[in-house]
Amino acid sequence: CSSDDEVPPLSPTEVAMQSVFVSGEGGYHTYRIPSLLVTGSGTALAFVEGRRNSRSDHGDIDVLLRRSLDGGATWSPPQVVADMGVDTIGNPTAVEDRDTGTILLLMTWNLADDRERDVVRGEARDTRRVFAVSSDDDGATWSMPLEITGQVKAPDMRWIGTGPGVGIQLRGGPHAGRLVIPCDHSYPQPGGKLDGIEAAFGGHVFFSDDHGATWQMGGTIRPDMGEPQIVELTEPAGAILANLRAFTGRGRRNQATSSDGGVSFTPPRDHRTLVEPVCQASILRYSWPGESTGDLILFSNPAGQKRENLVVRASRDGGRSWPAARSVHPGPAAYSCLARMPDGRVGCLFEAGDERSYERVDFVTFSLEAIMP
């Protein structure tokens, strides 16, 4: 199949939707790149990039946050988490350390006038750098940004982008407690055809075994991969499934697995069911074996050849098959981020619009039963 136009939509009675960020409001031209995290205490954190002057991926870009204490029914006014002056700070990727309750937010920076293609070519004035901030009060306040580039960027990497979306903390296996952050990068590649540049994109992870005090590089997933999101698998315990945006030209998401806590990954492979227009997606472990809803993973992306028709799918076999699917928003849609809300409903923060995908960032909730067969 080439699209999922036949996926039935959620009915208005099954879904609650609101616009959390509206482009043109609050002093920003465009809001993009959502990251949604529900903390252990039930606070919902909705992060985005605030692009001050244009829709462009470079320029004056800040990271903003709105918080909800009531399961997404209402939201606090936007607060600025990171502002690097006129430069770019973005790609918010959040994770909570269950052991400490600390929220970590990983982001990437570049000079305002350094375009992605210049960084990929190695011709930019600077490069892409990685920063971390943290919060010990459920996102009410945040630390100053701390640069960790030297720990998480290999020498052959030029462009680098955290997430975007969320990281995970492993529960099982020998690396239980490890914080794992998905990331992507470019690297020189003779014969590569990345916008006419001899380069290619790849995915990778970096991780911390000391609650974010230090970080180290994990495995890479190459070639022609980007913007991975990850979930923990149950077999073997502590294994990781990476689901990636693919630049292969085949219109399919790719998946790769790690059995060593993210140190290495299998080669990526197309997933026949997961069609895509080359766009970020979200993958979430909703529940574990032994819970009332069982072993369940959810996935969302614009399912087709264009950035439209945001579809949410469900898998009970570790992401090998996705038999349940419903369309959340049939119109223009792009990046998304899933979360399990405190009441068990599914939450999704996603880019949407009526004529273009980046008119607003919407938040939607619906029951699990609404998408299950």
Side-chain angles (χ1 to χ4, degrees), residues 60-353:
D60 187 350
I61 299 176
D62 307 326
V63 173
L64 307 180
L65 165 67
R66 296 188 71 180
R67 304 168 69 237
S68 177
L69 306 180
D70 55 11
T74 62
W75 296 86
S76 67
Q79 66 189 89
V80 178
V81 175
D83 180 351
M84 297 295 203
V86 300
D87 292 329
T88 298
I89 185 75
N91 273 61
T93 305
V95 67
E96 181 180 27
D97 189 320
R98 295 186 305 271
D99 301 324
T100 65
T102 297
I103 311 301
L104 298 163
L105 185 70
L106 289 303
M107 304 167 289
T108 37
W109 169 96
N110 57 269
L111 290 174
D113 57 357
D114 275 349
R115 299 171 183 263
E116 180 178 353
R117 63 174 178 265
D118 297 324
V119 177
V120 172
R121 290 180 187 273
E123 298 174 353
R125 290 197 297 126
D126 206 307
T127 187
R128 286 274 279 187
R129 302 179 183 273
V130 183
F131 286 82
V133 295
S134 63
S135 174
D136 292 317
D137 54 12
D138 260 14
T141 61
W142 293 86
S143 66
M144 294 296 292
L146 173 68
E147 185 175 359
I148 60 169
T149 310
Q151 302 174 53
V152 301
K153 186 177 182 182
D156 70 336
M157 295 178 180
R158 289 178 174 170
W159 182 265
I160 187 171
T162 46
V166 293
I168 63 173
Q169 185 176 34
L170 298 181
R171 292 177 178 265
H175 304 291
R178 172 173 288 179
L179 300 169
V180 188
I181 304 298
C183 205
D184 70 4
H185 61 275
S186 74
Y187 59 99
Q189 177 66 40
K193 297 179 180 179
L194 183 59
D195 293 331
I197 306 167
E198 289 203 335
F201 272 122
H204 70 283
V205 302
F206 58 86
F207 57 83
S208 174
D209 291 323
D210 55 12
H211 309 289
T214 62
W215 299 88
Q216 50 189 308
M217 278 289 301
T220 60
I221 309 168
R222 296 176 174 177
D224 302 323
M225 297 291 113
E227 294 182 331
Q229 284 287 270
I230 55 176
V231 289
E232 184 175 353
L233 299 175
T234 58
E235 294 293 337
I240 297 171
L241 171 68
N243 183 290
L244 303 101
R245 172 179 180 171
F247 300 98
T248 60
R250 296 188 292 270
R252 296 294 185 273
R253 300 289 297 180
N254 269 233
Q255 297 193 151
T257 58
S258 172
S259 59
D260 53 16
V263 175
S264 63
F265 283 86
T266 61
R269 298 183 62 182
D270 287 0
H271 196 294
R272 187 174 65 87
T273 301
L274 301 183
V275 296
E276 71 154 357
V278 189
C279 184
Q280 183 263 11
S282 178
I283 192 167
L284 169 77
R285 174 162 289 283
Y286 178 90
S287 58
W288 297 82
E291 296 183 50
S292 59
T293 50
D295 185 349
L296 184 61
I297 294 173
L298 303 180
F299 172 84
S300 64
N301 82 323
Q305 298 178 9
K306 299 180 180 179
R307 291 190 174 188
E308 60 187 20
N309 190 27
L310 189 80
V311 169
V312 176
R313 303 177 187 273
S315 173
R316 291 197 177 279
D317 58 6
R320 289 186 290 274
S321 66
W322 301 89
R326 296 293 293 274
S327 174
V328 174
H329 177 72
Y335 287 34
S336 61
C337 193
L338 294 163
R340 178 172 174 169
M341 304 309 293
D343 62 359
R345 288 172 67 85
V346 180
C348 185
L349 188 71
F350 66 101
E351 300 172 343

